Amino acid sequence: MDKDKIVIRKAERQDVSLLLEFIKGIARYEKMENEVVASVDVLEREMFDERRAEAVFAVVDGREVGFALYFYNFSTFIGHSGLYLEDLFVWPEDRGKGYGKALLLHLVKIAREHHCGRMEWTCLNWNRPSIDFYLSLGAVPMKEWTIYRLDAAALERLSETNG
């Protein structure tokens, strides 16, 4: 990898279609493509009007080869915000060249600049290449924790029943 070739740039409003392309790419990789309901309009509103998330691209020779989408959360235990990495994805043909690591290290820099107390993300249990990559960086799996989710239908149902 030639680090001088990699440019990390922040996603802008005109990148919404490209963001959706990357989101669909990671969904295909994770065998969850049927779960993608995001649209260009939704991403534009949520990311650029409401500023609920941010994204960066790894660019090599003028081509976006990977992306990372993140947002900030807050830890009551440590009393600081944290950076939550929602997605990190590099196109299959561009893997193994250090682009994912460059994206992750860029987010580490952002987390430090924002005085974040930690950085967290999830990884599918079967995704051994990513798990090995994260472990090689010193990331620690949170084995005692289970993620729980209320999807949109559950949110609606609970809000109606507990009105």
Side-chain angles (χ1 to χ4, degrees), residues 19 38 45 55 57 69 74 91 100 111 123 132 155 159:
L19 284 166
R45 182 184 68 242
F57 294 106
L69 190 141
F74 189 82
W91 293 121
C123 183
D132 291 342
L155 293 172
S159 67

Side-chain angles (χ1 to χ4, degrees), residues 126-150:
W126 59 259
N127 191 349
R128 194 76 236 170
S130 293
I131 292 168
D132 291 342
F133 167 62
Y134 299 140
L135 291 173
S136 77
L137 296 174
V140 178
M142 303 297 294
K143 294 183 180 189
E144 301 85 30
W145 297 82
T146 301
I147 298 171
Y148 291 89
R149 176 179 294 164
L150 293 172

Side-chain angles (χ1 to χ4, degrees), residues 43-127:
L43 290 175
E44 185 171 8
R45 182 184 68 242
E46 293 293 318
M47 293 183 68
F48 298 99
D49 295 338
E50 300 294 329
R51 303 199 126 334
R52 296 185 193 275
E54 299 179 54
V56 292
F57 294 106
V59 183
V60 177
D61 297 329
R63 184 174 68 88
E64 288 80 4
V65 297
F67 96 121
L69 190 141
Y70 63 98
F71 56 89
Y72 297 95
N73 56 17
F74 189 82
S75 170
T76 56
F77 284 16
I78 63 173
H80 286 280
S81 62
L83 189 147
Y84 187 84
L85 172 60
E86 178 66 23
D87 287 328
L88 175 68
F89 181 72
V90 174
W91 293 121
E93 64 271 18
D94 296 306
R95 293 191 185 137
K97 300 175 184 173
Y99 306 147
K101 184 174 184 179
L103 284 164
L104 194 73
L105 293 178
H106 184 79
L107 294 185
V108 167
K109 180 181 171 190
I110 290 172
R112 299 264 305 153
E113 288 171 355
H114 287 86
H115 308 288
C116 293
R118 60 182 165 211
M119 185 169 147
E120 296 177 315
W121 59 91
T122 60
C123 183
L124 290 166
N125 291 333
W126 59 259
N127 191 349

Side-chain angles (χ1 to χ4, degrees), residues 18-26 57 64 66-67 89 91:
L18 181 59
L19 284 166
L20 186 55
E21 189 179 327
F22 271 100
I23 291 166
K24 288 179 179 178
I26 194 171
F57 294 106
E64 288 80 4
F67 96 121
F89 181 72
W91 293 121

